[in-house]
Amino acid sequence: MKTLKSSLFNMIAALLGVSVLSALALGYVYEITKEPIARAKDEKTLNAIREVIGSFDNNPFAEKTTVSAPGGKYKLELYPARENGIITAVAVKTFSDNGFGGRIELIVGLLRDGTITGYKVLSQKETPGLGTKIAEEDFAGQFVGLNSYLDDISLTRSGGSIDAVTGATISSKAVIDAVGKAVETYKKFNAGATGHE
């Protein structure tokens, strides 16, 4: 078999052929994995909603609404939870870009009166053994029962009621930022429903 002569044209043609085949292979893999990945992500979110809200008899995904924060700086997804047709709580998918490792995403549960039922970390890149403690009960449990209309949701050294994770103040502040975004967006969504403004 005759070998091709090494020339600029042959090298460019070979490189182009490999690039096209690689792009086609990546496109194919993306298409066959796109739906399973989306389903897995939705299932993770639904499980987080169950954890922070508890029981509901509707499909929160079917009623998902996107609400712009006051001032329109960002938009958050809200998932109403109903029992017997009545909204009993709302789960808010929120975030902070101020984590030590970058973006932190949470699901925060709020009852109709603004009481926080808890949060669940969806994604984070915090330091293992330090910042990752934001997902543990010792830290996360401090938010449960706080009322977004009545309580100061900030670190104790700022006059609030939340003790930071030791050695992970940046991660702790990022969670407070994310919860604060959820609370403000929920208040906008819920304005007038409970007599709060």
Side-chain angles (χ1 to χ4, degrees), residues 67-83:
V67 177
S68 292
K73 295 177 189 171
Y74 51 86
K75 294 180 179 180
L76 298 181
E77 294 174 355
L78 279 71
Y79 302 88
R82 295 180 186 269
E83 288 198 54

Side-chain angles (χ1 to χ4, degrees), residues 50-62:
R50 278 192 195 99
E51 277 191 51
V52 298
I53 288 181
S55 63
F56 48 85
D57 57 20
N58 67 320
N59 177 358
F61 275 96

Side-chain angles (χ1 to χ4, degrees), residues 109-185:
L110 293 141
L111 297 176
R112 290 277 310 274
D113 68 355
T115 300
I116 298 171
T117 59
Y119 73 78
K120 178 78 176 165
V121 177
L122 292 177
S123 69
Q124 52 85 15
K125 297 175 185 167
E126 301 304 281
T127 307
L130 287 174
T132 54
K133 290 183 178 179
I134 59 171
E136 294 178 7
E137 181 61 26
D138 284 348
F139 180 71
Q142 297 178 86
F143 292 82
V144 177
L146 294 179
N147 187 286
S148 58
Y149 293 100
L150 306 173
D151 297 312
D152 182 0
I153 303 169
S154 62
L155 293 179
T156 50
R157 68 173 157 185
S158 300
S161 57
I162 306 295
D163 292 320
V165 173
T166 304
T169 304
I170 293 172
S171 303
S172 303
K173 285 182 178 178
V175 170
I176 288 172
D177 177 46
V179 170
K181 286 177 179 170
V183 161
E184 290 305 311
T185 306

Side-chain angles (χ1 to χ4, degrees), residues 18-85:
V18 169
S19 298
V20 167
L21 287 173
S22 297
L24 289 172
L26 283 173
Y28 175 73
V29 169
Y30 171 76
E31 282 302 316
I32 62 172
T33 59
K34 179 172 61 174
E35 283 187 36
I37 289 171
R39 275 196 306 271
K41 193 173 181 182
D42 286 350
E43 188 61 32
K44 183 177 182 179
T45 302
L46 190 57
N47 287 337
I49 292 169
R50 278 192 195 99
E51 277 191 51
V52 298
I53 288 181
S55 63
F56 48 85
D57 57 20
N58 67 320
N59 177 358
F61 275 96
E63 297 185 48
K64 175 180 80 172
T65 184
T66 302
V67 177
S68 292
K73 295 177 189 171
Y74 51 86
K75 294 180 179 180
L76 298 181
E77 294 174 355
L78 279 71
Y79 302 88
R82 295 180 186 269
E83 288 198 54
N84 300 316

